[in-house]
Amino acid sequence: MRKTRNRITKKRLLEEFKRAIKNKGLKFTPQRESIFKEIISTRGHFEIEDMVHKIRKKNIPVSRATVYRTLNIMKELGFVEEVIKINNKTIYEISVKEHHDHLICTSCGKIIEFHSEDIEEIQDKICSEHKFHPKFHRLEIFGLCDKCYKRSVRNNSKS
Amino acid sequence: MRKTRNRITKKRLLEEFKRAIKNKGLKFTPQRESIFKEIISTRGHFEIEDMVHKIRKKNIPVSRATVYRTLNIMKELGFVEEVIKINNKTIYEISVKEHHDHLICTSCGKIIEFHSEDIEEIQDKICSEHKFHPKFHRLEIFGLCDKCYKRSVRNNSKS
DNA sequence: CTTTGTGCAAAGATTTTGCATTGCG
DNA sequence: CGCAATGCAAAATCTTTGCACAAAG
């Protein structure tokens, strides 16, 4: 939904990234550009190996080392927020995109994104109660999507 | 607060773990017992190396391999919920303990735990809207604790 | 041109695994 | 005793780093 708006945002993000890189006296290389684009389009959910291969397919030579180094720069510059690993799968969060949270199916890995203004408000309240200064958050609800849930109910009744 | 109640819970948890292990035809060894205890007492926030050393200090021989293997068993049995890594730091969540969420200071690593019934309720609503069947969730708010926040304000005004 | 970036391969770090031995039940 | 668990060391992963060469500005 709202594809157009999304594309504009991506373009703008890339520009911001370019500016930030240069401001720091660093260089804007094809590698950094394509890595950044990949991260945006995968919304931060990707695996290093895949990213390397995808970028190489676009005829931009890139090494794992460069991906790691670029990710670190992006972290420093604040373009990606945090790195977590869930079962060897690296997940980065893009800071500038509209915030959303995740429903994650532990069976098939499906990720459903959602956003709740109510939750955001409560969080702000909690933070101020604890004198905590939030930068970003991550809310993940793990469970079964409807499909997997139904399958598991079927299987359990057998055992 | 409520230390006593806490200790009872730990003991009960250990009993449950023992039962579950045996039910599966597995063996309840000193290693597994001490690993389980460690996880409970650190509330899932620990590093593998530290755990190995702590347990060895109690004169129970243990290897990293055993810790990893035990963690996998505990995951299968549902005693720990998920494994995430934040900057090379492994965090496990104990499923049975009272649920709580985290405020995590990205500067000093301090973790403040909190619980909000309001958030739980909203989550349930969201899940049912998406036909999602939650098993557990994780809410982490990253930011700066008051101390680090004040320090960063001071430093920024210099640059 | 100068300085930073890149790839490669080696080094580190973390986690898993095969195998001989130990020990719970 | 028998089967599972353990420790060790080797292997498999994942990530970082040193260095020589390439390329952005």
Side-chain angles (χ1 to χ4, degrees):
Chain A
M1 36 175 158
R2 292 199 292 184
K3 263 273 185 257
T4 314
R5 188 174 167 292
N6 199 15
R7 295 198 69 189
I8 292 171
T9 305
K10 279 188 192 175
K11 218 179 254 177
R12 203 188 289 154
L13 259 179
L14 185 60
E15 282 311 309
E16 275 179 38
F17 180 57
K18 191 170 176 177
R19 203 185 320 137
I21 283 263
K22 299 204 167 182
N23 273 348
K24 260 224 158 186
L26 303 179
K27 288 164 185 176
F28 189 68
T29 65
Q31 285 83 355
R32 288 178 179 172
E33 175 172 358
S34 51
I35 291 168
F36 190 78
K37 282 183 183 168
E38 267 305 300
I39 291 177
I40 294 177
S41 69
T42 59
R43 317 187 110 201
H45 308 170
F46 63 89
E47 280 160 81
I48 304 290
E49 279 301 312
D50 290 351
M51 161 145 325
V52 169
H53 292 139
K54 272 195 194 172
I55 293 177
R56 284 184 180 161
K57 271 186 195 152
K58 292 176 186 168
N59 282 321
I60 293 163
V62 76
S63 64
R64 258 176 315 229
T66 297
V67 173
Y68 283 116
R69 286 190 275 233
T70 303
L71 284 169
N72 283 333
I73 291 174
M74 289 174 55
K75 273 199 275 179
E76 278 174 37
L77 294 178
F79 283 88
V80 295
E81 292 294 21
E82 253 294 303
V83 189
I84 66 172
K85 284 189 79 177
I86 302 182
N87 301 329
N88 301 326
K89 199 170 200 166
T90 307
I91 294 190
Y92 291 78
E93 286 292 327
I94 298 155
S95 30
V96 199
K97 74 176 175 187
E98 298 158 351
H99 175 72
H100 61 256
D101 295 304
H102 298 138
L103 302 175
I104 302 174
C105 176
T106 53
S107 174
C108 69
K110 181 178 176 184
I111 296 180
I112 303 168
E113 299 181 342
F114 71 91
H115 175 82
S116 162
E117 207 46 61
D118 289 346
I119 287 183
E120 311 282 323
E121 270 174 38
I122 297 172
Q123 286 183 22
D124 287 344
K125 204 182 66 189
I126 291 168
C127 285
S128 66
E129 279 170 16
H130 290 274
K131 291 193 180 163
F132 191 81
H133 305 264
K135 289 196 293 197
F136 60 95
H137 73 265
R138 177 170 66 219
L139 168 55
E140 288 149 338
I141 304 179
F142 295 89
L144 296 176
C145 68
D146 206 36
K147 215 190 267 181
C148 292
Y149 175 70
K150 282 172 182 159
R151 189 179 325 126
S152 83
V153 171
R154 249 181 284 134
N155 292 343
N156 267 333
S157 54
K158 276 191 286 193
S159 58
Chain B
M1 36 171 159
R2 291 198 291 183
K3 262 267 184 273
T4 314
R5 188 176 166 289
N6 200 15
R7 294 196 68 189
I8 291 171
T9 305
K10 279 189 193 176
K11 219 181 254 178
R12 202 189 290 155
L13 260 178
L14 185 60
E15 282 310 310
E16 276 179 38
F17 180 56
K18 193 170 175 178
R19 202 185 321 137
I21 283 263
K22 298 204 167 182
N23 274 347
K24 259 222 158 187
L26 303 178
K27 286 163 186 175
F28 189 69
T29 65
Q31 284 84 355
R32 288 179 179 171
E33 174 171 359
S34 51
I35 292 168
F36 189 78
K37 281 183 183 168
E38 267 306 300
I39 292 177
I40 294 178
S41 70
T42 58
R43 316 186 112 206
H45 310 168
F46 63 90
E47 279 161 81
I48 303 291
E49 279 301 313
D50 290 352
M51 161 143 327
V52 169
H53 292 140
K54 272 195 194 173
I55 293 177
R56 284 184 180 162
K57 271 185 197 151
K58 293 178 187 166
N59 283 322
I60 293 164
V62 76
S63 63
R64 258 175 315 226
T66 297
V67 173
Y68 283 116
R69 286 190 274 233
T70 303
L71 283 168
N72 284 333
I73 291 174
M74 289 174 55
K75 273 200 276 178
E76 278 174 36
L77 294 179
F79 283 88
V80 296
E81 291 294 21
E82 254 294 303
V83 189
I84 67 173
K85 285 190 78 175
I86 302 181
N87 301 330
N88 300 327
K89 199 171 200 164
T90 306
I91 294 189
Y92 291 78
E93 285 294 326
I94 298 155
S95 29
V96 200
K97 73 178 174 188
E98 299 158 350
H99 176 72
H100 61 257
D101 296 304
H102 299 138
L103 301 175
I104 302 173
C105 177
T106 53
S107 175
C108 69
K110 181 178 176 184
I111 296 182
I112 303 168
E113 299 181 342
F114 71 91
H115 175 82
S116 163
E117 206 48 60
D118 289 346
I119 287 183
E120 310 281 324
E121 270 175 38
I122 297 172
Q123 285 183 20
D124 287 344
K125 205 181 67 188
I126 291 167
C127 285
S128 66
E129 279 170 15
H130 289 273
K131 292 193 181 164
F132 192 80
H133 306 264
K135 289 196 292 196
F136 59 95
H137 73 265
R138 176 168 67 219
L139 168 56
E140 288 149 338
I141 304 179
F142 296 89
L144 296 177
C145 69
D146 206 37
K147 216 189 267 181
C148 292
Y149 176 71
K150 282 171 181 158
R151 189 181 325 127
S152 82
V153 171
R154 250 181 282 134
N155 291 343
N156 267 333
S157 55
K158 278 191 285 194
S159 56

